Amino acid sequence: KLQFLYLIAGCCCMAPKEDVCEVPIAGVPRRVAYSIWGESHPGVPVFCVHGLTRNRTDFAVLAEALARAGRRVITVDVVGRGDSEYLTDKAQYAIPTYAGMCVQLLNALGLAAVDWVGTSMGGIIGMTVAASASGGIVRRLVLNDIGVFIPSEASNRIGTYVGKDPRFTALDEAQAYLRGVFPGWPGMADAEWAAFAADSCEGVPEGGFRLRYDPGIGRAFEAPVGDVDLTSVWDRVAAPTLLLRGALSDVLPAATAAAMAARCELVEFDGVGHAPRLTSRAEVDAVAAFLSRS
């Protein structure tokens, strides 16, 4: 199991600095949690943004590997996930809110430029920022299993579980549930699934566990979702881009990735669906090599 071998062969031993920042959203300060790996390293930092129901722990292996290679890495919990604040107005859970949150956080940290790594939703946020008036802040862009076209079938599959608030008496139950809603990693080792479940859940006062996100993030999926076309956003992205694709992905069709490859680099990983976890040596090396270019 290459992914797990890489996990235990030198990564996940460096402790990041954990911090929070108050970021205005619709004029109201909201708590945003983030981690910094390799805080003292100079140069343009790497900024990692997770997927729809995920949190910043997803980037622990990548962040440590990059930090050991001399890069400063910032991983963030988007509002409504992980340790960041839940929003009262669930209608604010939308890409413009997330893009504004990220830009405000980077400004608060005094950063004029970052290399952006975005998985799924985090990639859409990255494209949105890169295509905006603030686009100069994105020096390089890594899109992890997300492209200009998302089929409705994939969105509605995700909609079957996003926003749900299941409760588990033990992490083993959570692990079984997560195996069902994340079918894209058929070769993932049992130990990795156990760690993934622990990172995905939090304890609740009455006992047991719940997922570490606000069920309100699923508001956009309450009705059937049609095909999503982000061509108008992608056309305004000037940053050099690396597109990663899991060969089994239903979110990033092969034809979409091939068409995008006319304007970016494309790396595919066999035996993986949505989305590559950025934990295997091949995945980490692909990102590191791209980000190392001047």
Side-chain angles (χ1 to χ4, degrees):
K1 305 294 186 181
L2 178 60
Q3 290 181 325
F4 187 59
L5 287 175
Y6 188 61
L7 274 166
I8 64 175
C11 282
C12 294
C13 300
M14 178 188 293
K17 174 186 175 183
E18 312 285 359
D19 211 339
V20 296
C21 179
E22 285 200 338
V23 171
I25 294 178
V28 179
R30 299 295 188 183
R31 184 185 69 258
V32 173
Y34 62 96
S35 301
I36 303 180
W37 305 73
E39 184 180 18
S40 63
H41 295 328
V44 175
V46 180
F47 186 63
C48 300
V49 188
H50 57 75
L52 179 65
T53 64
R54 302 301 307 145
N55 60 72
R56 69 190 191 275
T57 62
D58 283 358
F59 296 105
V61 171
L62 176 67
E64 179 164 351
L66 294 176
R68 289 185 182 280
R71 297 298 299 267
R72 180 169 34 140
V73 184
I74 301 164
T75 62
V76 64
D77 283 343
V78 175
V79 286
R81 290 86 169 170
D83 297 317
S84 288
E85 188 168 344
Y86 290 8
L87 301 180
T88 305
D89 182 358
K90 308 310 178 185
Q92 292 176 345
Y93 286 133
I95 295 298
T97 298
Y98 307 148
M101 182 212 82
C102 289
V103 171
Q104 293 273 11
L105 174 62
L106 295 176
N107 288 341
L109 296 177
L111 298 174
V114 296
D115 289 343
W116 190 297
V117 178
T119 292
S120 194
M121 180 190 76
I124 298 176
I125 300 169
M127 274 196 283
T128 301
V129 173
S132 72
S134 303
I137 204 168
V138 180
R139 187 183 72 160
R140 285 182 172 273
L141 178 62
V142 178
L143 300 176
N144 185 18
D145 213 61
I146 197 71
V148 299
F149 176 76
I150 306 170
S152 61
E153 294 83 1
S155 295
N156 288 305
R157 174 184 63 78
I158 293 169
T160 62
Y161 67 83
V162 67
K164 304 295 190 297
D165 191 20
R167 301 302 172 102
F168 314 104
T169 58
L171 287 176
D172 285 349
E173 290 182 13
Q175 182 186 152
Y177 172 84
L178 292 167
R179 284 175 184 259
V181 300
F182 289 100
W185 310 314
M188 199 157 101
D190 290 345
E192 287 181 275
W193 277 113
F196 183 75
D199 287 337
S200 302
C201 295
E202 61 188 6
V204 293
E206 61 270 25
F209 301 89
R210 65 176 302 274
L211 299 173
R212 296 184 65 208
Y213 67 79
D214 180 355
I217 66 171
R219 187 176 185 273
F221 293 84
E222 290 175 352
V225 179
D227 294 337
V228 176
D229 187 344
L230 299 172
T231 302
S232 62
V233 178
W234 173 241
D235 286 346
R236 300 196 305 275
V237 174
T241 301
L242 170 65
L243 179 62
L244 306 177
R245 178 176 185 268
L248 306 178
S249 177
D250 62 340
V251 173
L252 176 55
T256 299
M260 292 178 66
R263 283 189 45 209
C264 69
E265 297 181 39
L266 170 63
V267 177
E268 291 191 328
F269 302 104
D270 292 335
V272 180
H274 184 74
R277 295 192 61 225
L278 308 185
T279 55
S280 75
R281 185 174 298 280
E283 293 163 358
V284 170
D285 286 352
V287 175
F290 177 74
L291 296 184
S292 68
R293 300 174 198 164
S294 58

